[in-house]
Amino acid sequence: MSRQLSKTIIRTRDLRREYPRGENITYALRKVNLEIYRGEFLSIMGPSGSGKTTLFNAIGGLDTPTGGRVLIDEVDVAQLDANELAYVRCKKIGYVFQSYNLVTTQTCLENVMIPMVFAGMIVDQARVRGMKLLDLVGLADRWDHRPKEMSGGQQQRTAIARALANEPTILLCDEPTANLDLKTGQEINNLLVRLNKERGVTVICSTHDHRMLAVSDRVVWIRDGQIERIENRENLNIHLGSIGGGKHV
């Protein structure tokens, strides 16, 4: 890999997700085995319907697999009860979604504070930390704006600041640049890279954005619910408008 990464933070074992459709079954994931390393920038790519979002949701504890295991720091999240799972999602994982998922009636700062208050932090402390996070993502001067008063890029930066509220070790990003123009999307990519390198946050992106390839330590290609291949960044053959196959790992 392009960086020395070895300690596993997430592993899946024979992960399956099936959806009954009358007498038929749709196989969204078929015995997926994957190790994700602490501090790496990983992109999950594949065509629509390939299973990448299902894998993303299973890793993040947003969906319960039909079979197999998802281990975060060697804890099987599929076996946790509702309270234990809520704790893991609150403390270990930050989520960034394509549609931002901001509370429209709340200010930028209030949106960032929500996870901290939920976790039991005193409001004044949450406000101070929230402002520091907004400064980190370049939005300190927009703290009192509501989502409708912000651009798409500003809303996504707010969502990233909110995802960092409880100092997670893992940042899960579902199509974080899909609703943004090219320039703004690149700014969001650059911000995620900075958080990964400077803060050591493990970044996992489910994405169609090929610009992610240039900054990912590894790329996991999903097709038909299975891992088709995994490639290191230095083995990717990236050209403008196209991607050539590289060495598989």
Side-chain angles (χ1 to χ4, degrees), residues 52-242:
K52 67 179 184 300
T53 298
T54 305
L55 177 59
F56 175 93
N57 289 339
I59 289 172
L62 301 174
D63 190 15
T64 303
T66 305
R69 308 172 74 193
V70 178
L71 300 157
I72 299 179
D73 286 331
E74 299 306 321
V75 174
D76 188 352
V77 296
Q79 301 301 316
L80 300 179
D81 63 31
N83 290 333
E84 292 169 332
L85 183 57
Y87 177 85
V88 169
R89 289 194 297 219
C90 180
K91 293 292 186 180
K92 286 185 177 288
I93 305 173
Y95 301 90
V96 180
F97 299 99
Q98 176 181 344
S99 56
Y100 320 135
N101 288 2
L102 300 177
V103 180
T104 58
T105 57
Q106 301 285 307
T107 66
C108 179
L109 176 58
E110 288 168 341
N111 269 281
V112 175
M113 290 170 57
I114 289 172
M116 292 181 271
V117 174
F118 177 77
M121 186 179 292
I122 296 172
V123 172
D124 287 346
Q125 292 178 340
R127 185 175 293 109
V128 171
R129 175 161 172 74
M131 285 302 300
K132 288 181 179 178
L133 289 170
L134 288 178
D135 184 57
L136 176 69
V137 301
L139 285 179
D141 60 341
R142 295 287 190 272
W143 69 271
D144 59 345
H145 287 53
R146 288 178 169 76
K148 67 179 180 181
E149 300 169 325
M150 295 187 290
S151 67
Q154 290 170 340
Q155 290 184 63
Q156 194 61 296
R157 286 174 178 271
T158 302
I160 292 171
R162 180 185 59 189
L164 296 170
N166 291 324
E167 300 184 285
T169 53
I170 302 162
L171 195 60
L172 282 175
C173 306
D174 188 15
E175 300 284 2
T177 62
N179 290 336
L180 305 175
D181 60 63
L182 289 175
K183 179 177 180 295
T184 306
Q186 188 59 55
E187 291 173 352
I188 294 299
N189 282 351
N190 293 342
L191 174 58
L192 293 173
V193 170
R194 183 157 61 91
L195 293 171
N196 171 248
K197 293 186 181 303
E198 294 179 3
R199 295 197 161 210
V201 178
T202 303
V203 178
I204 304 167
C205 286
S206 169
T207 182
H208 282 101
D209 189 346
H210 287 172
R211 290 170 299 179
M212 290 284 189
L213 298 177
V215 300
S216 299
D217 292 301
R218 293 188 300 157
V219 179
V220 177
W221 302 88
I222 300 288
R223 183 177 294 274
D224 297 329
Q226 298 175 301
I227 294 178
E228 184 177 53
R229 66 188 188 275
I230 302 174
E231 294 176 313
N232 295 335
R233 179 170 66 218
E234 61 266 27
N235 294 330
L236 286 166
N237 184 16
I238 305 173
H239 302 285
L240 185 62
S242 67

